[in-house]
Amino acid sequence: MNCISLPSNKLFFYHYTGKFKALSSEWKHEKFTLADYELIVMTEGELFLRYQNKNYTVKKGEYLLLPPSQDGFREGFKESYCSFYWMHFSIDHDRSIPLEINVKNKNDAPHYSNYCVLPQIAVIPRPERIVVMMKQLQDAVKNNYPSASLDAYVTSIMMELYGEMSIGTMVNDLASKKQIYLDIIDYIQTNISKNIKIAEIADAFGYNPKYLSHLFVEIRNIPLKQFILSQKIDAANFMLADNDKTVTQIAADLGFSDVHNFARTYKKVTGLTPSEYRNAFSKRMLFHV
């Protein structure tokens, strides 16, 4: 596994960002040099990208982090339809710390003071959160925020990604003992469009509802009912930021009884109405190539 080391106590410097959407399945990434870091977060399809003599296949819900190179080119090696958010940035990297680290698995990566280590390509446990933050960055760019603010956005996005991957590692470490926990997560994500009840989850797996609730709090330190709601709000944020569906359609897609119940619940959790959230980050930077 190839990993990238990043400082955890320094500001990241924003360069540019956007959302890309291919116009057809015959699109292939053009050949470009890369003088800074690039983060790609996939939202649809697959991206086939070659960089520094390595081929990467990035799927929906995954990210790819590319380090800068003086002589490396990134280019597509296969046609495909895809859509992704991208962000370019730079950092002051301590030359005594290796930029790229090869290990058998992430847990084998060496530890450096004030540095975090991220897999170069991996599944994001909660990709909606990263996508929403990148959309907010794009809105800030379109509204001409000062460079210090944009740098802070980029830093927050990368540290959120690091936090996401840290949670994922913790879950994987517990998987052998708590497989049922992972099954619950999968069930919720698969049935996010339904009005999910704890009793229904318990029936699906053949366990007592109280047992499942206790198990979930033990591992995640959050009640199962609250986690289900948080997943629906994360999905709502993604839909509000990434597409043009009406609030009524989003409410139905997430299993709410009606749009009024959805709006009340959303405002109680976030402090904003769905429309206020959408309007706050309405300026998406969309690219067709």
Side-chain angles (χ1 to χ4, degrees), residues 41 94 114 170 176 198 207:
V41 177
D94 186 343
N114 297 321
M170 177 189 69
S176 60
I198 295 177
Y207 287 91

Side-chain angles (χ1 to χ4, degrees), residues 10-19 35-39 85-92 133-158 283-287:
K10 295 181 180 180
L11 199 64
F12 292 61
F13 303 109
Y14 166 79
H15 288 188
Y16 42 97
T17 186
K19 180 185 178 181
D36 51 13
Y37 290 83
E38 181 177 19
L39 174 68
Y85 284 81
W86 53 269
M87 178 177 76
H88 286 246
F89 61 93
S90 61
I91 51 177
D92 291 330
M133 292 178 72
M134 295 187 77
K135 175 68 187 304
Q136 292 170 349
L137 168 63
Q138 293 179 16
D139 186 84
V141 173
K142 294 287 287 185
N143 281 294
N144 297 314
Y145 274 40
S147 59
S149 298
L150 303 182
D151 294 343
Y153 268 109
V154 172
T155 305
S156 296
I157 289 169
M158 294 309 300
K283 296 183 178 180
R284 181 171 61 215
M285 303 171 70
L286 183 60
F287 294 80

Side-chain angles (χ1 to χ4, degrees), residues 184-200:
I184 292 173
I185 299 295
D186 184 64
Y187 182 92
I188 293 170
Q189 293 175 346
T190 301
N191 295 279
I192 197 69
S193 62
K194 300 178 181 179
N195 182 16
I196 306 171
K197 303 291 186 181
I198 295 177
E200 295 172 357

Side-chain angles (χ1 to χ4, degrees), residues 18-88:
K19 180 185 178 181
F20 171 81
K21 190 177 183 71
L23 293 177
S24 74
S25 60
E26 297 178 354
W27 174 81
K28 187 166 66 171
H29 199 292
E30 294 184 27
K31 186 175 183 179
F32 295 114
T33 57
L34 185 62
D36 51 13
Y37 290 83
E38 181 177 19
L39 174 68
I40 295 172
V41 177
M42 295 294 299
T43 55
E44 292 182 87
E46 292 180 308
L47 171 65
F48 301 97
L49 194 65
R50 179 180 293 114
Y51 183 61
Q52 294 180 323
N53 298 318
K54 295 180 183 177
N55 289 344
Y56 299 95
T57 300
V58 198
K59 301 179 181 180
K60 178 181 178 180
E62 296 181 338
Y63 76 87
L64 174 65
L65 179 60
L66 300 177
S69 173
Q70 293 182 346
D71 54 3
F73 290 87
R74 66 197 195 287
E75 61 180 329
F77 65 89
K78 184 178 178 181
E79 296 179 345
S80 68
Y81 168 79
C82 62
S83 179
F84 54 86
Y85 284 81
W86 53 269
M87 178 177 76
H88 286 246

Side-chain angles (χ1 to χ4, degrees), residues 50-243:
R50 179 180 293 114
Y51 183 61
Q52 294 180 323
N53 298 318
K54 295 180 183 177
N55 289 344
Y56 299 95
T57 300
V58 198
K59 301 179 181 180
K60 178 181 178 180
E62 296 181 338
Y63 76 87
L64 174 65
L65 179 60
L66 300 177
S69 173
Q70 293 182 346
D71 54 3
F73 290 87
R74 66 197 195 287
E75 61 180 329
F77 65 89
K78 184 178 178 181
E79 296 179 345
S80 68
Y81 168 79
C82 62
S83 179
F84 54 86
Y85 284 81
W86 53 269
M87 178 177 76
H88 286 246
F89 61 93
S90 61
I91 51 177
D92 291 330
H93 198 287
D94 186 343
R95 293 187 178 182
S96 67
I97 306 296
L99 177 59
E100 298 185 60
I101 303 167
N102 265 301
V103 293
K104 289 185 178 180
N105 60 69
K106 184 178 180 297
N107 293 332
D108 293 334
H111 296 281
Y112 301 103
S113 178
N114 297 321
Y115 267 76
C116 57
V117 176
L118 281 169
Q120 188 167 11
I121 181 172
V123 174
I124 308 173
R126 294 178 293 181
E128 294 86 359
R129 295 172 65 91
I130 300 294
V131 167
V132 167
M133 292 178 72
M134 295 187 77
K135 175 68 187 304
Q136 292 170 349
L137 168 63
Q138 293 179 16
D139 186 84
V141 173
K142 294 287 287 185
N143 281 294
N144 297 314
Y145 274 40
S147 59
S149 298
L150 303 182
D151 294 343
Y153 268 109
V154 172
T155 305
S156 296
I157 289 169
M158 294 309 300
M159 289 302 103
E160 171 67 22
L161 180 60
Y162 177 55
E164 287 284 316
M165 298 311 296
S166 297
I167 290 174
T169 299
M170 177 189 69
V171 170
N172 289 334
D173 291 343
L174 294 171
S176 60
K177 298 179 181 179
K178 309 294 184 182
Q179 183 62 49
I180 185 62
Y181 166 80
L182 298 177
D183 291 340
I184 292 173
I185 299 295
D186 184 64
Y187 182 92
I188 293 170
Q189 293 175 346
T190 301
N191 295 279
I192 197 69
S193 62
K194 300 178 181 179
N195 182 16
I196 306 171
K197 303 291 186 181
I198 295 177
E200 295 172 357
I201 298 176
D203 288 342
F205 295 107
Y207 287 91
N208 182 284
K210 290 185 178 179
Y211 170 77
L212 288 186
S213 297
H214 175 77
L215 178 65
F216 203 89
V217 171
E218 179 184 350
I219 297 176
R220 193 58 180 266
N221 198 31
I222 181 177
L224 179 53
K225 183 177 181 179
Q226 185 177 337
F227 178 79
I228 294 171
L229 180 58
S230 72
Q231 292 295 286
K232 286 183 177 289
I233 296 300
D234 282 350
N237 288 342
F238 173 76
M239 292 179 185
L240 289 165
D242 193 63
N243 61 53

